[in-house]
Amino acid sequence: MSAPAPASPPASLFHLSRPAAGPRARPRVSRSRCVASLASQPPTPPPANANHLVQTLCASGRLARAAALLQGLPAPTQRTYKSVLLAAARAGDAALAAAVHRRLKADPVFRSDPFLSTRLIDAYASLGELPAARQVFDEAPVKSIFVWNALLKALALADHGEEALARLADMGRLRVPVDSYSYAHGLKACIAASTSHVPASALVREIHAHAVRRGYGLHTHVATTLIDCYAKLGIVSYAESVFATMPERNVVSWTAMIGCYAKNERPGDAILLFQEMVASDEDLVPNSVTIVCILHAFAGVNALGQGKLLHAYILRRGFDSLVSVLNALMAMYMKCGCLEAGRHIFDLIGHRKDVVSWNTLISGYGMHGFGHEAVQVFEDMTQMGVSPNIITFISVLGACSHAGLVDEGKRLFESMVDYNVTPRAEHYACMVDLLGRAGHLDEAVELIQGMHIRPSPQVWGSLLGACRIHRHVEYAEMACSQLFDLEPRNAGNYVLLADIYARAKLHSEVGVLKDLLEEHALEKVPGCSWIEVKKRLHMFVSVDNKNPQIEELQALIGEFVTQMKNDGYVPDTGAVLYDIEEEEKEKILLGHSEKLAVAFGLINTGRGEVIRITKNLRLCEDCHSVTKFISKYAEREIIVRDVNRFHHFRDGICSCGDYW
């Protein structure tokens, strides 16, 4: 049934003609019963008003009876065909859809109906039967814009982006008028066209420009899809521009922009935009996708108080019936340091657990340093018959890395082929991190050199991070020789290498790197830390300038540091790359964002309250030492989540065991 592979899209894909003016799942029914009813049983005499009866049976999920009646119908209506196709798609019954397809081909009235061709393509697409969907399109005598759009949608959803773009180009060549849905499906196809020789960002911008020229650029459906595409590409400024110029916004548009911020490490902006949405129009009611996005944002900044308020809203509005919302809620609690609350929600999901539920629990245990528990959840998952996916292995390998479970990680990595999961760059990055943290740097390099795919920046970055921990200059230079080509604008790689050089007393090399940073106008991502106090979010940035509030916080930290020095503490100034006196370097350390957040929490929270902080970078060694001391001296529990994992500080001890 497969159609020939489409020709490659031309250099400019979109010479399109101007447009003309102008759930709850049903009970599953076995395929064999439906097909037997339609193909092998003798025709059932149709009762009076049989078309209506077939439609009613489909709506109630009684597909076997509906299929039997359809076989005997002398003149099924368009609505009857539509009802059976929708029911087949809901039930996941490809055999029933194929049987309806055969009946349609023999129907002299509807075999040329473009509406039913569209519905048939939609049904096959939702059932994963893309070759059959192509066949319907190729054989359709009348190819309306709706038939074309149905095929574009099917191809984009199946990640056949290049073919979808080729079909879109065909529409222009054949002068088929496009509409807003054509553009939306074309934009999604750009993201799916991952193997194209043209970058996805260039394809999206080309369709964006074409939509603007044809008057569709501000159409709500097109603009919302553009925001989503730019979000996936990480081009937040373009998404902001599209959102700002939209004349009308619905809840889907707002949600797309909120999700854009949440996915691109701007959770604070996501929260502010959510608050703006709620205040702008009382008729704008968050939907389940909005809830998932904002939970992700709350998790990003450890906003546990606001997350709990949203949990109450979820219960009031009945969103707790949706597994996707419960998965996001579980992730929020775990990322805010409430592992037990997250596990409780996992248990509440019960038999409805999907692979995302299991992945979230594995990841939660991993980021808290409970590697053995994460591996056990993985074993429970597979024993329950749930197949692990790409994300599952990233989560469980990451958990092994944080806990130093080298042998366990190797075993799991080698087992991926048993589950038909091909290792990607992300999995190799996890393995390099696992081996590197444990000090097996030679083995990590051998793994990289033996990769069947080109090592990504993540892979080399994992090696560089391990070299920083173990102060291995040679391998650090090897990693950076690749990273400087792959990520020429990433200042963090230069800074990490400079840190390694500085600790090795290679000051001339440090100077060279600082000159390169200046020459290329590269700036290191500043350290930022967030703390929620009385349900209000406060952000601190690592500084070495002065203002009254910062000076007060630094003075408090300075008091603790003075006491620590009496116990033999020596500030770790090795990471301060400025050529200044040691005393000045120590003052810079006092301005690290997590220290400021800890001091703010001590001043503004009551005794016995847990201080919860999130940081956008790895926790530095000096801040780790100081926070351990403060937790003991101030008798406070302090939970810090950095870019890699959680650190639970209590009584002068960190849960990471100084292994991070």
Side-chain angles (χ1 to χ4, degrees):
M1 298 169 79
S2 301
S8 299
S12 182
L13 293 168
F14 313 111
H15 299 295
L16 306 179
S17 61
R18 290 185 179 275
R24 187 180 294 270
R26 300 296 181 185
R28 187 178 181 91
V29 181
S30 71
R31 297 182 182 181
S32 58
R33 289 178 59 196
C34 291
V35 175
S37 298
L38 196 57
S40 61
Q41 293 182 359
T44 302
N49 201 14
N51 276 292
H52 177 71
L53 180 57
V54 171
Q55 295 160 25
T56 303
L57 291 169
C58 288
S60 61
R62 298 169 62 188
L63 297 194
R65 177 62 177 154
L69 282 175
L70 179 63
Q71 182 193 9
L73 274 182
T77 64
Q78 185 189 67
R79 187 171 181 179
T80 298
Y81 280 123
K82 170 190 169 185
S83 298
V84 179
L85 287 171
L86 287 174
R90 283 198 301 268
D93 197 334
L96 178 57
V100 176
H101 186 184
R102 289 192 296 273
R103 175 67 195 268
L104 264 174
K105 291 169 82 171
D107 191 319
V109 177
F110 289 112
R111 64 187 173 196
S112 300
D113 187 347
F115 173 80
L116 290 177
S117 295
T118 300
R119 290 295 181 180
L120 194 52
I121 292 172
D122 286 341
Y124 277 137
S126 67
L127 292 164
E129 299 290 336
L130 188 59
R134 288 194 192 99
Q135 182 190 18
V136 174
F137 177 84
D138 293 338
E139 294 177 352
V142 180
K143 292 182 175 63
S144 67
I145 180 62
F146 304 106
V147 176
W148 279 95
N149 284 346
L151 182 65
L152 291 179
K153 178 182 177 182
L155 293 169
L157 288 176
D159 288 336
H160 286 248
E162 290 86 353
E163 184 180 351
L165 294 176
R167 294 288 189 173
L168 188 59
D170 289 343
M171 292 176 73
R173 181 174 53 81
L174 298 172
R175 299 191 178 280
V176 179
V178 296
D179 63 9
S180 62
Y181 292 96
S182 309
Y183 284 118
H185 299 322
L187 286 165
K188 293 174 183 176
C190 295
I191 303 299
S194 58
T195 60
S196 173
H197 62 283
V198 181
S201 57
L203 294 172
V204 170
R205 286 196 295 267
E206 186 175 356
I207 294 187
H208 186 179
H210 195 282
V212 170
R213 289 197 301 271
R214 292 291 186 261
Y216 283 104
L218 297 179
H219 191 284
T220 304
H221 186 53
V222 175
T224 301
T225 307
L226 276 167
I227 292 170
D228 187 55
C229 288
Y230 284 132
K232 290 175 179 175
L233 294 169
I235 312 176
V236 179
S237 60
Y238 281 27
E240 288 175 322
S241 177
V242 173
F243 184 76
T245 56
M246 290 181 70
E248 294 181 7
R249 301 168 183 161
N250 56 23
V251 67
V252 181
S253 310
W254 284 91
T255 299
M257 194 63 227
I258 292 168
C260 175
Y261 283 136
K263 294 170 189 172
N264 286 279
E265 300 180 4
R266 292 176 57 177
D269 290 326
I271 294 169
L272 290 174
L273 191 62
F274 174 71
Q275 293 169 343
E276 182 183 339
M277 181 193 91
V278 174
S280 66
D281 186 347
E282 62 182 13
D283 293 329
L284 277 174
V285 180
N287 60 24
S288 62
V289 182
T290 317
I291 297 297
V292 169
C293 289
I294 200 62
L295 281 171
H296 183 61
F298 287 157
V301 290
N302 223 334
L304 179 62
Q306 295 184 59
K308 287 181 175 179
L309 290 176
L310 189 58
H311 188 176
Y313 177 83
I314 288 168
L315 295 174
R316 289 198 307 271
R317 296 300 301 270
F319 284 118
D320 57 321
S321 64
L322 301 174
V323 175
S324 61
V325 173
L326 292 176
N327 288 339
L329 191 62
M330 174 170 50
M332 184 277 295
Y333 276 116
M334 289 185 160
K335 290 181 179 178
C336 288
C338 300
L339 192 57
E340 291 182 3
R343 178 67 200 230
H344 177 67
I345 293 172
F346 176 83
D347 293 335
L348 283 178
I349 298 175
H351 68 278
R352 296 179 296 157
K353 298 183 188 76
D354 57 16
V355 67
V356 178
S357 311
W358 291 96
N359 289 350
T360 303
L361 185 63
I362 292 170
S363 177
Y365 277 126
M367 71 176 71
H368 283 269
F370 296 106
H372 291 290
E373 289 80 356
V375 173
Q376 183 58 55
V377 172
F378 176 87
E379 301 295 345
D380 294 343
M381 170 186 177
T382 55
Q383 289 174 10
M384 291 288 290
V386 180
S387 298
N389 60 16
I390 292 168
I391 304 300
T392 312
F393 281 101
I394 292 174
S395 300
V396 74
L397 290 174
C400 290
S401 178
H402 295 315
L405 304 179
V406 176
D407 292 337
E408 202 68 38
K410 288 180 181 179
R411 180 185 67 80
L412 288 165
F413 182 73
E414 292 169 359
S415 76
M416 291 177 65
V417 293
D418 298 334
Y419 299 99
N420 295 317
V421 179
T422 302
R424 296 189 178 186
E426 297 92 333
H427 303 106
Y428 282 102
C430 288
M431 287 302 297
V432 171
D433 187 62
L434 169 67
L435 296 168
R437 284 179 191 273
H440 303 305
L441 290 172
D442 292 337
E443 192 173 351
V445 171
E446 288 177 10
L447 179 67
I448 295 173
Q449 293 172 339
M451 285 176 61
H452 66 280
I453 56 176
R454 184 185 181 190
S456 68
Q458 282 180 294
V459 173
W460 291 114
S462 294
L463 179 62
L464 181 60
C467 291
R468 181 185 182 277
I469 294 171
H470 299 287
R471 305 187 182 185
H472 199 295
V473 174
E474 181 184 350
Y475 284 155
E477 291 175 336
M478 174 195 295
C480 283
S481 69
Q482 300 292 327
L483 287 168
F484 291 166
D485 287 335
L486 293 169
E487 297 180 320
R489 303 297 302 172
N490 187 345
N493 296 325
Y494 291 85
V495 174
L496 267 179
L497 182 58
D499 183 16
I500 294 168
Y501 280 151
R503 294 178 184 277
K505 308 298 183 184
L506 300 173
H507 300 297
S508 60
E509 282 82 354
V510 173
V512 170
L513 288 172
K514 290 172 67 175
D515 290 341
L516 285 173
L517 285 169
E518 283 189 29
E519 179 183 337
H520 297 292
L522 301 178
E523 293 186 6
K524 177 179 180 272
V525 175
C528 296
S529 295
W530 292 266
I531 181 172
E532 185 187 43
V533 175
K534 297 179 175 62
K535 296 184 175 63
R536 288 190 60 188
L537 204 59
H538 304 267
M539 184 180 80
F540 295 91
V541 181
S542 296
V543 294
D544 53 17
N545 60 322
K546 301 289 184 182
N547 71 61
Q549 183 189 29
I550 296 300
E551 286 184 341
E552 179 186 6
L553 299 177
Q554 287 178 311
L556 178 58
I557 295 297
E559 292 178 16
F560 286 113
V561 168
T562 299
Q563 296 175 50
M564 289 175 67
K565 286 182 176 179
N566 294 332
D567 292 340
Y569 159 75
V570 177
D572 184 6
T573 60
V576 180
L577 302 180
Y578 299 114
D579 186 16
I580 53 179
E581 297 295 328
E582 283 296 307
E583 184 178 347
E584 293 301 313
K585 289 183 179 182
E586 290 182 21
K587 289 181 180 178
I588 290 176
L589 291 177
L590 292 178
H592 278 195
S593 65
E594 58 269 39
K595 290 192 182 81
L596 300 176
V598 168
F600 185 84
L602 290 171
I603 293 171
N604 293 281
T605 60
R607 190 170 187 82
E609 282 188 67
V610 177
I611 297 174
R612 302 175 187 273
I613 296 167
T614 298
K615 185 175 180 185
N616 66 331
L617 303 174
R618 180 182 184 272
L619 196 63
C620 79
E621 286 80 357
D622 191 73
C623 289
H624 195 266
S625 298
V626 170
T627 308
K628 282 199 295 184
F629 178 84
I630 291 174
S631 71
K632 180 178 181 179
Y633 184 84
E635 298 181 347
R636 298 293 295 274
E637 182 179 358
I638 303 170
I639 299 177
V640 180
R641 191 184 90 218
D642 69 7
V643 70
N644 292 322
R645 60 163 297 153
F646 270 93
H647 301 264
H648 291 252
F649 297 95
R650 182 185 294 169
D651 298 327
I653 299 172
C654 179
S655 61
C656 75
D658 298 339
Y659 187 86
W660 87 105

